[in-house]
Structure formats: C-alpha cells, structure tokens
Amino acid sequence: MGAYGIAFGVPEQITQFWASPPTEDTTAPRGGDRGARAQSSATTVVVAPLEARSYTLVLRTIGSAVSLYSADVIAAEAGEVVEIALQANALVEKGDTLLRLDDRTEQLALESARAHRDQAQDTVTRYKGLQKNSNAVVTDVALAEAEVELRLAEADVGLAEIALENRTIVAPISGRLGLSDINVGDWLSAGEAIVSVDDSTTLLATFEVPERSIGLLAKGKPVLVTTPTYTGRLFEGTITAFDSRLDSVTRSATVQAEIDNSEGDLLAGMTLVIRLSNETDPLPMVPSTAITWDRSGAGMWVSEEGQARRVPVTILYRNGDRVWIEADVAVGAQIVTEGASKLREGAQVETARSDADTDA
C-alpha cells in the first residue's frame, strides 16, 4: 500500500476519510440560514389582485312579428258581390269602401219605411192641429196612438238604414290589405271572411323567455331585434307586456315587445331574433386558472403575508377565460392565478412576475 501510494498517489476518497470534519463557523448568523432554507422551500406562484367587474347577462331567443292592430273583415249579411276594392297590399283608411253587395231590396225597404214614417208624421201633425182648434173629434187617446205609430215608423226607418249600410263593407281600421279571392259576382254567406287589414306601423314581437331568465323582464325594458331577411340590420323595441304565469309544459313566459315599423320594412309573421341584456352590479372576477377543485368543491388560493390560504367560492358566471364568483375575499386581495395546483394550506409562497407584468 505504501509503494502504491508513492507510485500512484493516495485516492481522493481515502483522503476525505482521513480528513478531519470542518469546524463550524460560529460567526455566521443562524437566522439567515433559516431564512435561506425557508426561501428555498417556498412555492413560486403568480398572483394578481382580485378585481370587481359587472357581468352582462344576454338572452337570445326566437320570436315572430304580429301587427299591433289587425282586423279580419267578415260579411255581416249574405248577398251577391257587385263592387270590390280589394287590391292586395294596398293602404286603406278607416271607413274606406272595400266591397258592396246587391242592395236593391234594402233600398226599397228603406223607401217603404220612410213613406210609412211620413204618413205617421202627417197624422200626428193633423191631430195636433185639430186639437188646437178645439175639435172634440180628436181625443188625447187618438193623438197618443198616432205619436206611438210615428215612433214605430221612425224605428223602422232606422232598421232599414242599418240593413242598407250592411250591404256596403268598409275598412274597420287603417292599414294594409291582405290577399282576398273575392270577385264581382261571387255570393257571400253571412259570417264569411273577406279580407284582413293589418296596421303594421307598429309591430309586436312575441317570444318566449325561459324560467331562469325571468329576472330580465321588466315593462319598458329595451330589446334588440334582428331578422334573417335583413342581415346586419338592427331594430329596437320595448317590452310592453309579459304573461303573469309560466307555461306548465315549457316552463317559459310569453313576452310582447313593440317595434317601430313606420318605414314598413318588417311584415307580420316574420321570424325575429330577440336579444335581451342586463348588466349586473360589480362582482369579484378572476381568471379561470385561479379556480381549483377538491372534494369540497370550487375554491381559489389567496396569498396573505407570504402564506397560501384556500377560500371556497361559488361560480356565478363564465365568459371565456374569466369567471365571476361569490367568495368571502376582499377586492384587491392577491389571488394565485398560476401554480395553485402545487399549494397546500399554509404553504410558503414566493411571488413571480407574470407575463403581463414583464411586458409592462
């Protein structure tokens, strides 16, 4: 071994074994060593302050357009059509003549009623003149009977005028005429539909709102309306009414909103896409990476004085990589956004600069 050591040297392992242990430097600060060891054991995470932002609730649903004022014109009496003014899509005013039935019989009946009335009027006038001249032939009873006869004759005239007026069918409202297949010479039966009249200057958008979105409804609330017919165009409306109960099958409420259609671009029956929105009060918002899950549910980690603390949260809304929550944490608290999966309760954390901070 001596010859080997002289020829090749003593191996390093044996030299270390023979070497005496190093003496401890009592002048080094022990607290600094503990801080260094604690710092080396801390978990590096990325934190960001907890923000409060409003969330915009948006509901999109499908509805249909209905005229605010519409009427179906019905024949009150039967008869032959002798005149029509039923041009489809034409604008009419209330009271304009749409159709006239043969009214010869009614005109004769009116003429007869008027003659009877005139005769009764002459009788009453003559009886009053005789009584004025103190003629005892005309009694008060005879005069009263003549006056009753006059009243009945006037009533017959009124009925005959109404019957004659019913032979002429007029527009019940102002609006636009629909299609009609009635022609001159056709025979109409009483109660038969003639034509529809729609006042489309204001439309009603009728749509359904599910139970979960009932909180968005309020009278006077604005809505935005689009239609596949006019791509890119946006119409504005206002909620005017909604049902007081939900449908037992669909669990939704029927809603009506008025839409200004003074330009006449929209037609009754069109399919409408309705958009309702509502902005909430400011709520705590965190990146989706800050949310962690365990057996107790959702939570997030908060950095407080270099230590990690897990706080349970309730997720309210999501939008992309942002999450609006409900949690017992003050706005501005340092939330762990990256590295949360490595943390344990009370663990030491070391804050790293995020990419956003580096870019800034």
Side-chain angles (χ1 to χ4, degrees), residues 226-287:
T226 58
T227 174
T229 307
Y230 302 107
T231 305
R233 291 193 59 182
L234 194 64
F235 301 88
E236 295 183 358
T238 304
I239 294 178
T240 56
F242 50 89
D243 206 345
S244 60
R245 62 178 63 183
L246 300 180
D247 186 273
S248 59
V249 177
T250 62
R251 296 298 176 185
S252 59
T254 302
V255 185
Q256 291 181 338
E258 287 189 8
I259 304 173
D260 181 21
N261 189 40
S262 55
E263 297 181 0
D265 295 330
L266 301 176
L267 299 179
M270 275 187 170
T271 300
L272 304 177
V273 180
I274 315 297
R275 179 182 174 185
L276 279 169
S277 61
N278 186 46
E279 188 171 305
T280 67
D281 294 332
L283 298 171
M285 186 203 72
V286 297

Side-chain angles (χ1 to χ4, degrees), residues 27-28 43 114 125 139 176 186 195 213 248 273 281 314 350:
T27 61
T43 303
R114 286 174 175 172
T125 302
T139 63
R176 196 178 297 273
D186 289 345
V195 71
S213 302
S248 59
V273 180
D281 294 332
T314 300
E350 180 181 354

